[in-house]
Amino acid sequence: GRPRADAPARPRHRDLGGAPRKPGEAAPGVDATGEKGRQWRRAALLGRAYVLYVYPRDETPGCTVQACAFRDAWKDFRELQILVLGVSRDGPEEHRRFIERRRLPFPLLCDADGTMHAAYGATMLGGLPRRVSYLIRNDGHIAAGSQPHPRTEAPPEHMVDPATEPAAGGQTGHAKLPSCGRSGDAPTR
């Protein structure tokens, strides 16, 4: 159906189908606001390894499973000194509720205009968001990435090897980052 006349306009997204980034490439810029109003910029992340996972929307079944998988792997990432950042087009209030309800220990960034989605290849033809995850080394280059998956039935193939030290340079290639498998065990408060 047609949108109501009083409905807010949806932002237009610049990209109609971005290509995923490859290991060895410089990571695209990070310029977003977190759920608490903190500004996140790429320059501030240099010198630090991080996982950037881009997902369609808070509180949807697949995105909840994905977020909870990152939450459950949080200790492993912390031991490797890897920061985890989630990115969706949701606003700060939706992110705060999602973090509280799912007890997420990492920040969620707001990408209302879809700029980061496009830059990281997380936009399908037609502008719909899809899931992608990247492990970014402390020098700002992509160490590994998951294949983009719009559905929860298509999880990434490999897992970050805890023996690999991505913060120190580590291996490059595809990594299995916590993904979006089917699960009904997403905890609630």
Side-chain angles (χ1 to χ4, degrees):
R2 293 180 164 229
R4 295 186 340 239
D6 62 339
R10 294 186 60 137
R12 289 198 159 282
H13 304 288
R14 292 182 256 259
D15 186 79
L16 295 179
R21 297 298 174 174
K22 294 180 175 62
E25 291 182 356
V30 172
D31 186 5
T33 304
E35 80 284 350
K36 294 180 181 176
R38 176 181 174 182
Q39 289 298 118
W40 291 84
R41 304 239 189 297
R42 182 172 185 245
L45 293 170
L46 283 176
R48 182 156 197 192
Y50 59 99
V51 167
L52 185 80
Y53 83 95
V54 185
Y55 64 99
R57 190 173 178 140
D58 294 343
E59 293 296 349
T60 57
C63 296
T64 298
V65 169
Q66 183 182 30
C68 291
F70 277 107
R71 178 202 61 207
D72 295 345
W74 177 248
K75 279 187 179 179
D76 295 331
F77 286 113
R78 285 198 58 161
E79 286 175 15
L80 292 170
Q81 297 180 345
I82 299 172
L83 175 66
V84 174
L85 298 170
V87 179
S88 81
R89 294 178 180 164
D90 292 305
E93 187 56 39
E94 290 89 353
H95 281 339
R96 280 191 292 273
R97 283 194 303 264
F98 191 45
I99 286 170
E100 182 179 320
R101 184 161 188 222
R102 304 301 173 179
R103 296 187 309 263
L104 304 179
F106 48 82
L108 298 177
L109 309 184
C110 307
D111 183 31
D113 68 358
T115 302
M116 286 180 60
H117 279 69
Y120 280 92
T123 304
M124 295 185 292
L125 190 61
L128 296 173
R130 63 180 166 194
R131 292 177 184 84
V132 296
S133 302
Y134 295 98
L135 176 60
I136 300 166
R137 296 187 315 244
N138 57 6
D139 66 359
H141 286 79
I142 295 172
S146 69
Q147 296 296 317
H149 297 291
R151 300 184 345 224
T152 60
E153 294 89 353
E157 298 175 7
H158 309 285
M159 175 70 71
V160 169
D161 181 0
T164 302
E165 296 284 338
Q171 298 175 329
T172 61
H174 287 277
K176 180 170 180 179
L177 304 172
S179 65
C180 27
R182 288 194 178 270
S183 172
D185 61 356
T188 57
R189 259 192 172 180

